[in-house]
Amino acid sequence: MNKKILSGILAAILAVSCLASCGSGDDSDTSSSGDSDTLVYAQGADPRGLDPQIVDDGESAKVTNQIYEGLLQYEDDSTEVKACLAKDWEISDDGLVYTFYLQEGVKFHDGTDFNAEAVKYNVERNTINKTEDMTYADFVWGYVSGVEVVDEYTVNITLSQPSTPFLANLAMVFGAPMVSPTAAEEGDLMNEPVGTGPYKFVEWKKDQYVKLEANEDYWNEDGKAQITNVVIRTIEDASTKILELQSGDVDIIDGIDTNQVASLESDSNITVNTTPGMNINYMAYNAERLDKETRVALSQSVNVEELVAGLYNGYAEVATTILPTFVPGYSADETQIAYDPDAAKATLEEKGVTSLHVITYTNARPYNTATGQTLTEAIQGYFSEVGVEVEIDSYDWTTYKDKAIAGDYDICFYGWSGDNGDPDNFLNLLSDTNAGMNVARFNLATNEDDQEAYTAYAEMISEAAQEPSGDSRNAMYAEMEQYVADLALWLPISHQQDITACKANVQNFQYHCTATVKLYKVTKS
């Protein structure tokens, strides 16, 4: 590994420390969580699909992260990268060519060999052969200009420009994992996933559960699954999820209503963990429909501090920037649009804005445990005070994602859980051309001023990606944060704490700050 380049010009990623854990120590069938060889995990929505190069939501990732692996992976307690399917790597002096040396003898769950040809297939699937629904393809592989098989277990990936986040991107749970080329060509990865990971897919009963079983032929002896069977259940109602945990039918839950944390903490049979979340909960304005003056006025009408205090019971902090405070590039000097309902009302009356079409989601999210519906109705109240009526259309999460991509709204509610600890991963959202990422539709803005602003912003993002980690790069992201804050494309609302709960007999469960989990280490006593 080229240590000089890794620690210097390109890949000195400031890893974010993060870990929430239960029981860390030495130690039609959804199955009973009372079975020590079955682990039941409950989440608030069904996966959208099981192809990690297509899906982009946390519910899907809870499943795919057990099945798939990338060239690299994160440390358990940070976003520092380490070897995975690539056992080592080098970077050329100009920062453009990455040479990866692959693990030997690894097979996908369907028996297909993992080798340099498989890596080439995966890279090209996300670059020259990508489809519109591969929302993370540009995030991970956007600067890739070519891929070359050197020998059976060596591959070169060439970039069009240096990219500081590239190594961190290769460990992400979306876009980066390696899929079986055979299954991608001949099968249905969205419904029958095939990876190299410690768990294999068994069954998906839609809106109920996904079943997995341990991969007995897993290539990494140190990473073999400790529990044979994993069942990931879909329980949308937060109260029901808690009751199932208390009754023993479920071992682990996330997306916990903050109103119920105290009750869970009082139960000696349950362990609750809370840690700062690497996320942002926000309201997005559709720049195709709303100009800057309107967006600013609508932001002025919402008392964000009051909103966050009323909804999250101290388990979220007001978002003064897009970036959480512990992510490089955060600056306390940035300012958002200030609460000023009188100014908001005057502007909205002058512009004739009397109604809005808003879409939202019905379930809790890692960045919004109050549910999208609750948050939307709260903001509806603020808008009514400045003379704006709101028509709300609410959808389950899977449907909502499709509605957001379609773009038929004035405002939508969204959020983001950071994938890799790099500021690019947050701020790149507003330069992305994929509607599933850039829900503010900044790239599609109809106003000439917004169009010019988008072009300038996209150039800022490109320049910052090439800058080595450090003070200079951090300052570039702080400048970009203020730039988009002044444009009022989003109303940043809060950074939600990550809250999980486990049965007391669960050991070694870890919830990573990237809002993902790996379950192969978990045991039950």
Side-chain angles (χ1 to χ4, degrees):
M1 188 185 301
N2 191 325
K3 301 294 186 182
K4 176 185 176 184
I5 297 297
L6 280 179
S7 62
I9 296 176
L10 279 180
I13 302 292
L14 180 56
V16 171
S17 297
C18 53
L19 185 64
S21 60
C22 286
S24 296
D26 298 328
D27 303 357
S28 82
D29 169 31
T30 60
S31 300
S32 168
S33 74
D35 181 355
S36 64
D37 214 20
T38 297
L39 183 74
V40 183
Y41 191 116
Q43 60 182 9
D46 214 36
R48 293 184 61 241
L50 301 177
D51 184 336
Q53 296 175 6
I54 292 179
V55 297
D56 59 3
D57 64 295
E59 285 74 19
S60 300
K62 298 286 189 340
V63 179
T64 61
N65 208 28
Q66 319 315 317
I67 297 168
Y68 292 100
E69 298 170 303
L71 294 177
L72 305 178
Q73 61 184 323
Y74 299 124
E75 294 286 357
D76 290 342
D77 58 355
S78 75
T79 54
E80 183 179 349
V81 297
K82 63 179 180 179
C84 190
L85 290 174
K87 61 185 179 183
D88 207 347
W89 62 93
E90 293 177 353
I91 309 170
S92 63
D93 289 341
D94 62 5
L96 296 179
V97 180
Y98 287 68
T99 300
F100 292 96
Y101 303 98
L102 309 179
Q103 303 284 356
E104 300 180 15
V106 178
K107 289 186 180 292
F108 290 96
H109 299 155
D110 62 359
T112 301
D113 290 330
F114 171 77
N115 52 29
E117 289 289 351
V119 174
K120 184 174 188 289
Y121 175 87
N122 275 268
V123 174
E124 291 184 342
R125 185 180 189 231
N126 284 271
T127 52
I128 61 176
N129 297 320
K130 72 177 178 181
T131 56
E132 289 185 358
D133 52 4
M134 291 181 175
T135 55
Y136 263 77
D138 286 344
F139 248 44
V140 178
W141 309 101
Y143 294 123
V144 171
S145 60
V147 55
E148 173 194 9
V149 171
V150 178
D151 58 41
E152 186 174 7
Y153 294 110
T154 309
V155 61
N156 287 340
I157 297 176
T158 301
L159 308 187
S160 59
Q161 68 173 53
S163 174
T164 295
F166 185 60
L167 285 178
N169 290 349
L170 294 185
M172 296 197 315
V173 71
F174 301 120
M178 299 285 111
V179 305
S180 162
T182 303
E185 291 295 313
E186 302 175 5
D188 177 13
L189 289 176
M190 283 294 275
N191 291 289
E192 297 182 356
V194 181
T196 61
Y199 280 100
K200 300 191 297 184
F201 173 77
V202 176
E203 178 187 17
W204 181 9
K205 192 161 186 179
K206 299 292 178 70
D207 298 316
Q208 294 189 42
Y209 61 84
V210 178
K211 292 182 69 174
L212 310 174
E213 67 179 6
N215 177 13
E216 296 300 328
D217 299 318
Y218 185 52
W219 62 272
N220 184 354
E221 285 295 327
D222 294 334
K224 282 199 170 184
Q226 298 299 300
I227 291 180
T228 302
N229 305 296
V230 166
V231 180
I232 299 179
R233 291 181 56 188
T234 298
I235 304 177
E236 182 170 334
D237 182 74
S239 296
T240 301
K241 195 161 43 178
I242 286 172
L243 289 172
E244 295 263 14
L245 180 68
Q246 291 172 326
S247 70
D249 291 328
V250 164
D251 294 303
I252 305 169
I253 65 173
D254 60 20
I256 297 168
D257 186 336
T258 58
N259 290 304
Q260 297 176 306
V261 172
S263 174
L264 286 171
E265 289 179 332
S266 68
D267 189 330
S268 61
N269 294 315
I270 292 173
T271 302
V272 179
N273 286 279
T274 59
T275 57
M278 189 170 65
N279 56 50
I280 178 66
N281 175 29
Y282 65 89
M283 181 174 74
Y285 300 110
N286 186 343
E288 281 189 291
R289 297 187 178 184
L290 304 178
D291 63 16
K292 177 182 173 181
E293 285 185 316
T294 300
R295 300 191 303 257
V296 168
L298 291 169
S299 291
Q300 288 175 323
S301 70
V302 180
N303 188 333
V304 176
E305 290 190 6
E306 179 182 70
L307 180 73
V308 172
L311 289 182
Y312 301 110
N313 299 303
Y315 291 97
E317 62 179 349
V318 173
T320 59
T321 73
I322 293 172
L323 294 175
T325 58
F326 54 86
V327 172
Y330 166 82
S331 171
D333 295 332
E334 294 153 35
T335 57
Q336 298 294 329
I337 305 299
Y339 177 56
D340 190 344
D342 292 335
K345 188 171 184 178
T347 300
L348 294 168
E349 286 179 351
E350 179 183 343
K351 296 185 70 67
V353 178
T354 59
S355 63
L356 295 167
H357 176 216
V358 177
I359 64 170
T360 194
Y361 51 92
T362 55
N363 58 296
R365 304 290 301 146
Y367 44 76
N368 174 24
T369 57
T371 79
Q373 182 76 32
T374 301
L375 175 59
T376 305
E377 289 173 355
I379 288 183
Q380 180 184 35
Y382 287 110
F383 285 166
S384 68
E385 292 178 2
V386 294
V388 177
E389 297 293 322
V390 174
E391 175 193 353
I392 301 174
D393 286 329
S394 304
Y395 306 96
D396 66 87
W397 182 247
T398 299
T399 305
Y400 182 73
K401 290 284 290 185
D402 294 333
K403 295 292 184 181
I405 291 169
D408 182 18
Y409 54 83
D410 298 310
I411 290 173
C412 75
F413 286 82
Y414 232 64
W416 185 257
S417 295
D419 296 295
N420 62 16
D422 192 275
D424 177 82
N425 186 250
F426 282 84
L427 294 179
N428 203 351
L429 290 169
L430 282 163
S431 71
D432 205 295
T433 58
N434 189 292
M437 294 288 190
N438 198 346
V439 293
R441 305 174 81 83
F442 188 20
N443 58 306
L444 301 173
T446 53
N447 180 282
E448 186 175 342
D449 289 341
D450 282 339
Q451 291 171 352
E452 292 177 359
Y454 174 77
T455 300
Y457 184 72
E459 291 175 357
M460 293 179 188
I461 287 289
S462 177
E463 291 172 3
Q466 301 178 64
E467 185 75 11
S469 294
D471 292 343
S472 176
R473 186 169 187 253
N474 292 344
M476 295 171 77
Y477 285 103
E479 179 183 353
M480 282 186 277
E481 281 234 65
Q482 191 62 63
Y483 186 82
V484 293
D486 293 341
L487 289 167
L489 295 158
W490 291 0
L491 176 67
I493 296 170
S494 59
H495 302 296
Q496 177 79 53
Q497 289 187 23
D498 290 328
I499 309 173
T500 58
C502 311
K503 295 296 292 182
N505 68 332
V506 172
Q507 291 91 35
N508 302 316
F509 167 71
Q510 299 176 335
Y511 190 91
H512 200 260
C513 66
T514 55
T516 57
V517 297
K518 289 186 176 181
L519 301 174
Y520 70 93
K521 290 184 178 181
V522 177
T523 60
K524 291 168 63 177
S525 58

